[in-house]
Amino acid sequence: MSLSRSFLSRHSSSFRCFSLSSKSQPSTHPPFSLSSADVTSRADVIDGEDGGTWSSLLPEILADIIARVDSSNDEWPFRRNVVVCACVCRRWRDVTKEILKAPVCTGRITFPSCLKQPGPREVPLQCLIKWDRRNSTFYLYLSVSPSSFAEKGKFLLAAKRYWRGAHIEYIISLDANDLSQGSQAYVGKLSSDFLGTNFKIYDSLPPHDGAKPSSSRSTRRFASKQISPQLPAGNYEVGQVFYKLNLLKSRGPRRMYCSLKCPGSLGDTSADRAEYSDSKLADLDFSCTVLKSKTPRWYEHLQRWCLNFHGRVTVASVKNFQLIATVDQSQPDGKGDEEVVLLQFGKVGDHTFTMDYRQPLSAFQAFAICLTSFGKKLACE
């Protein structure tokens, strides 16, 4: 362990751009804003100049150093040391990727690729969403202190709301300062219909081999004369969020349903379709993971609908919700456990919200679903 500490102390100044303090602001350069090409170019410089000594370590010693750094840094900001190790050279990066496990196993987010991997199954990952009303921008942070809602934590993603005629789009990016579809930090977007009740989630990368991008012109990232051979020109639809209309203005909160292309989702069954009689609900893709909002209870003495958020939500709001699975491959009959909340979102301050998610959802999918809750929906309330 002394060798790894010596390395980190000597080279901490060289990798400040890869470190992240819990006090950092969105305007600073987040570690996730760097593209793979940037990291490769930096690694090449280190390999060619002063990285030779470190890159020539025996494989056993190198693996032991990274394993010790990984096991001794469970939370941010100390976990940034793992990112520093991965940025020494190509060899260190390859070894780091082999040793680090996915969030579903460790419950930790380290690299940008973790943002599109399923979260842990037993204990949800706790995050915060900060809403900047002046710029219509939303920032997602990984909570450093779960008991405190004041700390921002570790920056993960940013989204900005745009009006496209009668439609609304949310551009999601790894860089809080570059929120455009043409950016290398672009990871996906959310698009709504004119009522703001039906949303589609698009990923910048294909979710699986053979996936085809959406053919709609509105979903293309670039104009025909601006296509970059290094970036995908299209977007890939990976999910849909639908708010059930409440035209009769019956008593109750919003009701929402989600259809997501998650790894290991269950196939179509007649029993699943029989549960939904609404025409739009029948159009949901039941070959994917299907989620629905958990029904709250009405308390007469409070005169309001209530859900148990276990202290993670402190302010009553129509935006608050909990999602449970209607189809779950891990269950013998394919039905989801209604007591297990896969995603919960709620208000804790004027512009602060909590977001807790778990498998099979990823941070990117959970963030996109939560963005659909912002804005008024007169047809649903």
Side-chain angles (χ1 to χ4, degrees):
M1 188 60 189
S2 60
L3 182 58
S4 62
R5 289 178 176 172
S6 175
F7 158 72
L8 294 175
S9 62
R10 294 180 184 178
H11 293 264
S12 59
S13 60
S14 301
F15 302 103
R16 290 178 181 175
C17 59
F18 295 99
S19 64
L20 179 63
S21 171
S22 60
K23 303 292 185 180
S24 60
Q25 301 294 329
S27 59
T28 60
H29 297 286
F32 288 171
S33 65
L34 295 176
S35 65
S36 59
D38 295 331
V39 175
T40 302
S41 62
R42 292 174 183 266
D44 291 340
V45 172
I46 297 174
D47 275 336
E49 294 180 358
D50 59 346
T53 302
W54 295 107
S55 61
S56 62
L57 287 177
L58 293 175
E60 295 79 5
I61 298 179
L62 177 57
D64 183 66
I65 291 175
I66 296 177
R68 287 173 180 264
V69 174
D70 177 39
S71 61
S72 62
N73 295 273
D74 293 333
E75 298 179 354
W76 291 89
F78 300 105
R79 190 156 181 80
R80 63 172 177 250
N81 297 333
V82 181
V83 181
V84 173
C85 289
C87 295
V88 173
C89 59
R90 287 197 185 95
R91 188 183 179 200
W92 281 62
R93 182 166 64 251
D94 294 338
V95 174
T96 304
K97 289 181 179 179
E98 293 178 359
I99 292 177
L100 296 186
K101 297 181 180 179
V104 67
C105 301
T106 62
R108 297 195 294 254
I109 292 179
T110 307
F111 298 113
S113 58
C114 299
L115 298 175
K116 293 187 179 181
Q117 296 175 354
R121 185 170 185 84
E122 301 299 330
V123 181
L125 280 174
Q126 297 180 341
C127 305
L128 288 175
I129 295 178
K130 299 286 185 176
W131 180 14
D132 187 348
R133 286 178 174 268
R134 296 172 301 175
N135 301 323
S136 298
T137 308
F138 306 84
Y139 305 98
L140 176 66
Y141 299 89
L142 181 65
S143 297
V144 176
S145 178
S147 60
S148 175
F149 301 134
E151 296 183 6
K152 290 183 177 180
K154 177 191 177 218
F155 173 79
L156 298 180
L157 292 169
K160 187 174 180 63
R161 181 168 54 193
Y162 296 91
W163 286 93
R164 308 296 188 192
H167 305 270
I168 298 178
E169 280 189 359
Y170 294 83
I171 304 300
I172 304 175
S173 173
L174 295 169
D175 190 345
N177 299 318
D178 193 353
L179 294 163
S180 64
Q181 291 195 68
S183 168
Q184 290 189 352
Y186 170 78
V187 295
K189 74 174 184 177
L190 181 71
S191 180
S192 76
D193 62 357
F194 70 98
L195 287 178
T197 58
N198 195 5
F199 295 81
K200 291 184 178 180
I201 304 173
Y202 296 94
D203 196 333
S204 61
L205 299 176
H208 56 81
D209 295 337
K212 296 182 179 180
S214 177
S215 58
S216 174
R217 179 179 298 180
S218 61
T219 62
R220 294 187 63 85
R221 294 182 57 183
F222 309 97
S224 58
K225 297 182 180 180
Q226 298 176 334
I227 295 179
S228 171
Q230 299 179 354
L231 298 175
N235 286 288
Y236 300 82
E237 184 177 343
V238 294
Q240 182 179 1
V241 182
F242 168 68
Y243 287 83
K244 192 170 183 180
L245 300 180
N246 187 15
L247 300 179
L248 299 179
K249 299 298 180 181
S250 59
R251 195 179 188 184
R254 298 172 178 175
R255 287 177 290 176
M256 62 185 299
Y257 299 85
C258 304
S259 174
L260 301 170
K261 296 180 180 179
C262 300
S265 56
L266 190 70
D268 182 14
T269 63
S270 58
D272 297 328
R273 293 191 181 275
E275 184 179 351
Y276 308 102
S277 57
D278 189 279
S279 59
K280 284 193 175 182
L281 292 182
D283 294 336
L284 288 178
D285 187 359
F286 277 79
S287 62
C288 302
T289 298
V290 180
L291 311 178
K292 68 176 182 179
S293 55
K294 189 174 183 178
T295 304
R297 294 179 56 187
W298 174 259
Y299 290 86
E300 288 292 342
H301 63 287
L302 296 176
Q303 288 295 303
R304 64 180 56 183
W305 299 90
C306 297
L307 285 169
N308 186 6
F309 289 93
H310 301 283
R312 290 287 293 166
V313 177
T314 59
V315 181
S317 173
V318 69
K319 298 179 178 64
N320 302 346
F321 67 82
Q322 290 181 332
L323 291 185
I324 57 178
T326 62
V327 181
D328 189 354
Q329 190 179 18
S330 64
Q331 301 298 326
D333 56 355
K335 292 296 181 180
D337 186 356
E338 295 192 357
E339 297 301 322
V340 178
V341 177
L342 302 181
L343 172 62
Q344 72 175 19
F345 170 81
K347 191 173 183 179
V348 294
D350 291 339
H351 306 97
T352 305
F353 301 80
T354 57
M355 184 193 85
D356 303 339
Y357 75 97
R358 66 174 75 193
Q359 187 187 16
L361 297 176
S362 65
F364 166 69
Q365 292 173 329
F367 187 41
I369 294 174
C370 292
L371 290 175
T372 66
S373 185
F374 292 94
K376 295 182 180 180
K377 297 174 174 54
L378 300 178
C380 304
E381 302 167 358

